[in-house]
Amino acid sequence: MLFVGLVAGFAVGVSFHTSPPVAVPTMTTTPAVTAPATGDAPTTPPAATPRSVPAATMPAPSGPATIDPRVLARVKADGRIRVGVFGDSIGNGMFEALYYQLPRDQGYDVLRFSKEATGFTRYHTLDLAQRAREQLAADPVDIAVISFGANDAQDMWEEGHLHPLLGDSWRRIVGERLDRFVATARSTGATVYWIGLPVMRDAQMDATMQAMDAFYADHMRRLGVTFVDTRPLSVDAQGRYNAYLPDAKTGRPALMRTPDGIHLIGVGYRRLTAGVADDIRAFAAKARAAAGVPAPQANEAAR
């Protein structure tokens, strides 16, 4: 299993450097599905519902109406936009995709704050909010992009009790951790995006992930955080999982997923994050205009 994981990780990394840029449709911010019923008995996730909305018609996420003064002060100092990407192994892929789409020579610093095998149900091994506080103390950001969930679809043993997946007590504990994490992400004035999970190949896993996404989408809505639904971008024309999806530029099928049916390769992650990247570019133009500084020139790559 370790060998397979290493090979898959190598393939994903190589794909970012070998795949050509792809014209990608934008994303919707509509939450995934209605959250399942609560209760401390284990919750059975609803069956995944195929999504048939044409991806090309979906609006991009919308940025903030105002920009925090702390962000403007940083932008005024050097004209750069700092993007921090938090998450698990899928978050690592989101980081690589945004790093590719928002290059340094265009005035972006995309920082990897993600770590594989982490989640909000795994605080016995890593407190995500504490880690984020330490990361942001060293590197404050203007945009925070978050993608968790694949490791959270499990019961928890906390406070001397078992908390079944998506039961009331599970939601309370995870919800409190989400509140603290988002507050930490916003502590440097950052605008926050939560990127949802793609469709999974295994039907039961996909139903569970869809239920997880519904919980996170609902919580982000209450916190005023933009939730980006990636499910419509990760299915074929029939609304089903497919490792190959049409290239938006050529129309020819292109490999998007890794063999495990969970993760994606570089072009797939770029497909999921393209709308956020567009939104960050619009944010950068607005922030630089408000700060009265021009965008860095292309020859700043060595900065």
Side-chain angles (χ1 to χ4, degrees), residues 7-133:
V7 172
F10 175 76
V12 172
V14 169
S15 71
F16 280 100
H17 300 289
T18 58
S19 302
V22 176
V24 187
T26 56
M27 295 175 282
T28 180
T29 57
T30 304
V33 295
T34 302
T38 61
D40 277 346
T43 302
T44 302
T49 303
R51 304 296 295 270
S52 58
V53 180
T57 67
M58 296 174 189
S62 57
T66 60
I67 299 175
D68 190 279
R70 291 166 291 181
V71 172
L72 289 178
R74 289 191 294 268
V75 174
K76 187 173 184 178
D78 58 13
R80 303 190 67 78
I81 301 298
R82 298 156 183 84
V83 182
V85 183
F86 301 85
D88 47 28
S89 58
I90 291 179
N92 283 339
M94 303 295 183
F95 160 79
E96 296 282 358
L98 288 170
Y99 187 88
Y100 180 94
Q101 295 172 92
L102 303 170
R104 284 187 54 81
D105 64 357
Q106 293 179 19
Y108 298 97
D109 295 323
V110 182
L111 308 175
R112 184 200 298 268
F113 292 153
S114 53
K115 181 177 175 60
E116 63 280 355
T118 56
F120 292 96
T121 60
R122 298 187 173 197
Y123 268 37
H124 60 285
T125 59
L126 180 64
D127 183 321
L128 293 174
Q130 177 59 35
R131 183 171 187 263
R133 278 192 293 273

Side-chain angles (χ1 to χ4, degrees), residues 62-258:
S62 57
T66 60
I67 299 175
D68 190 279
R70 291 166 291 181
V71 172
L72 289 178
R74 289 191 294 268
V75 174
K76 187 173 184 178
D78 58 13
R80 303 190 67 78
I81 301 298
R82 298 156 183 84
V83 182
V85 183
F86 301 85
D88 47 28
S89 58
I90 291 179
N92 283 339
M94 303 295 183
F95 160 79
E96 296 282 358
L98 288 170
Y99 187 88
Y100 180 94
Q101 295 172 92
L102 303 170
R104 284 187 54 81
D105 64 357
Q106 293 179 19
Y108 298 97
D109 295 323
V110 182
L111 308 175
R112 184 200 298 268
F113 292 153
S114 53
K115 181 177 175 60
E116 63 280 355
T118 56
F120 292 96
T121 60
R122 298 187 173 197
Y123 268 37
H124 60 285
T125 59
L126 180 64
D127 183 321
L128 293 174
Q130 177 59 35
R131 183 171 187 263
R133 278 192 293 273
E134 295 167 357
Q135 292 169 318
L136 292 171
D139 294 295
V141 299
D142 311 317
I143 301 285
V145 178
I146 306 169
S147 181
F148 284 102
N151 297 317
D152 286 332
Q154 59 182 327
D155 300 339
M156 281 191 299
W157 183 265
E158 296 284 346
E159 304 169 347
H161 299 282
L162 178 67
H163 305 278
L165 172 62
L166 293 172
D168 282 347
S169 59
W170 187 100
R171 290 169 181 267
R172 173 182 59 80
I173 295 170
V174 174
E176 290 172 352
R177 292 173 180 177
L178 287 173
D179 292 344
R180 291 194 297 272
F181 188 86
V182 170
T184 300
R186 285 171 162 163
S187 65
T188 62
T191 298
V192 181
Y193 295 87
W194 184 289
I195 302 182
L197 296 168
V199 170
M200 305 294 171
R201 181 176 60 202
D202 179 81
Q204 183 55 48
M205 176 182 287
D206 186 56
T208 301
M209 293 298 103
Q210 191 171 359
M212 291 294 305
D213 250 10
F215 167 74
Y216 284 122
D218 180 66
H219 206 88
M220 291 306 112
R221 186 188 307 109
R222 286 187 277 121
L223 291 176
V225 170
T226 297
F227 179 87
V228 182
D229 183 4
T230 67
R231 290 184 64 85
L233 293 169
S234 56
V235 294
D236 60 20
Q238 287 71 47
R240 297 189 298 252
Y241 173 94
N242 195 327
Y244 290 81
L245 297 173
D247 181 276
K249 187 174 182 179
T250 67
R252 293 193 295 268
L255 180 64
M256 301 282 174
R257 308 299 290 256
T258 58

